[in-house]
């Protein structure tokens, strides 16, 4: 069994932003030389998520607007009594889920034709990390 | 370490449909002869999901109606400017999450008493794939 | 390759409750002596979930209230025709997702600075189980 652990760091320009990380993951997997395995990609900060979906500008806007409807920015969250102002970001992370497992087959990411992997930032403009951990051989 | 990769193909009669795939997975796992492991089940198309819940007709209708409330069919998604009409299906997949990891213990799926695994189709009536990837020994 | 399987049992005082299980998982992982691996934590009952987020009282209340807004307790779910009264709990589990994979690096849980792992009970006051399954070496 082989394993590999990498950490990606993001510092987005916008407070909320989607970053396509599929190519970063491709490179890590090729460098690992693992042929068959499972690759965990997990946001280590609790106001960010990982999303697997389509690289289509309209859909990305739809998704972010939909999240805002279901988990809106609001002043009166209890969490804000601590001085924070990002409770919506915790809920948005929850809705999207903060991690995915990607299959590796014959040395490559084994994704469907339209699957792209995104880092979903909901409280950015500062350094935040994602762990990439591969198990396989 | 052993690994096994299979692809299931679905072509549902209805555009939206839940398909219980627990038995398919049982068979794959028994054939793999893997005794202890983790089994990834992941929808490869971005308008389908995997759901682990109860095989109860009423609840299945409740769940699909609830998804329609939270991520409704609508004309005016930006994604539809590309000619598509399935933005709601992308959001429904997001809400359910598109994958699960199933534990394998002593050669069998190690699920709770009521846990059943469903392929959740939100834009079907065409061939779509699910990857099943097992790591273990 | 090594593997380890444990089952945690919960019997919460409240019907809906969040239980921080990070320390329980730490102990299981240290006892396993697995240095590099992936640890599945999955609720085996279909009215409970696993949530990775902040140990902050206000946020925990915000999250439970938000779930109640999106997946409310209601009489008229079809599932209740079976005699059950917990359809909302099935939907809340779905929204949070019922499982996470935790990375193990150098013999320890490799979580971000604020990540805590919670068992999220939505229909408790009776014995319910969570499987913890580690693969690694």
């Amino acid at each position: 069994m082989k394993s590999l652990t990498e950490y990606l760091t993001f510092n987005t320009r916008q407070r909320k932003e989607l970053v396509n990380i599929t190519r970063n993951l491709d490179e890590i997997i090729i460098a690992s030389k693992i042929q068959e395995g499972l690759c965990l990609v997990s946001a280590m900060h609790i106001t960010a998520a990982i999303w697997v979906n389509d690289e289509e500008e309209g859909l990305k806007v739809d998704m972010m607007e939909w999240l805002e409807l279901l988990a809106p920015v609001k002043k009166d969250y209890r969490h804000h009594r601590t001085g924070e102002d990002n409770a919506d970001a915790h809920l948005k992370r929850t809705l999207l889920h903060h991690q995915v497992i990607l299959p590796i087959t014959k040395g490559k990411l084994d994704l469907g034709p339209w699957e792209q992997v995104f880092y979903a930032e909901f409280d950015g403009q500062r350094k935040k990390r994602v762990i990439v951990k591969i198990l396989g051989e």
Side-chain angles (χ1 to χ4, degrees), chain A:
Chain A
M1 205 204 77
K2 280 163 93 173
S3 70
L4 183 93
T5 310
E6 295 266 356
Y7 304 90
L8 304 174
T9 302
F10 299 92
N11 190 342
T12 58
R13 281 199 197 174
Q14 308 298 323
R15 187 161 186 191
K16 298 195 194 320
E17 198 171 320
L18 290 174
V19 183
N20 190 326
I21 60 171
T22 317
R23 193 160 303 183
N24 308 49
L25 298 171
D26 275 337
E27 287 170 9
I28 291 172
I29 287 163
I30 288 167
S32 78
K33 294 186 180 165
I34 289 173
Q35 295 298 300
E36 299 294 322
L38 297 175
C39 174
L40 171 68
V41 184
S42 192
M44 300 182 82
H45 293 253
I46 53 195
T47 49
I50 305 293
W51 186 53
V52 174
N53 220 290
D54 200 355
E55 180 53 273
E56 196 280 299
E57 280 312 312
L59 183 72
K60 286 155 65 179
V61 176
D62 288 332
M63 199 280 284
M64 293 300 259
E65 285 186 3
W66 172 72
L67 281 180
E68 184 56 34
L69 269 178
L70 294 187
V73 173
K74 279 195 312 181
K75 288 214 170 152
D76 65 342
Y77 288 110
R78 279 178 188 75
H79 184 48
H80 295 173
R81 296 180 191 169
T82 63
E84 293 283 355
D85 67 347
N86 63 359
D88 73 291
H90 291 267
L91 303 181
K92 287 176 171 97
R93 151 168 164 128
T94 297
L95 209 145
L96 239 60
H97 204 52
H98 66 283
Q99 59 177 204
V100 296
I101 295 276
L102 305 174
I104 300 169
T105 305
K106 296 179 185 163
K108 286 186 178 174
L109 273 182
D110 195 352
L111 298 176
W114 305 101
E115 284 190 303
Q116 295 285 304
V117 188
F118 295 91
Y119 173 66
E121 176 64 84
F122 301 118
D123 186 21
Q125 299 172 323
R126 53 199 172 105
K127 276 194 186 175
K128 293 170 76 172
R129 291 199 304 162
V130 168
I131 186 169
V132 180
K133 183 141 199 148
I134 308 175
L135 230 62
E137 70 177 9

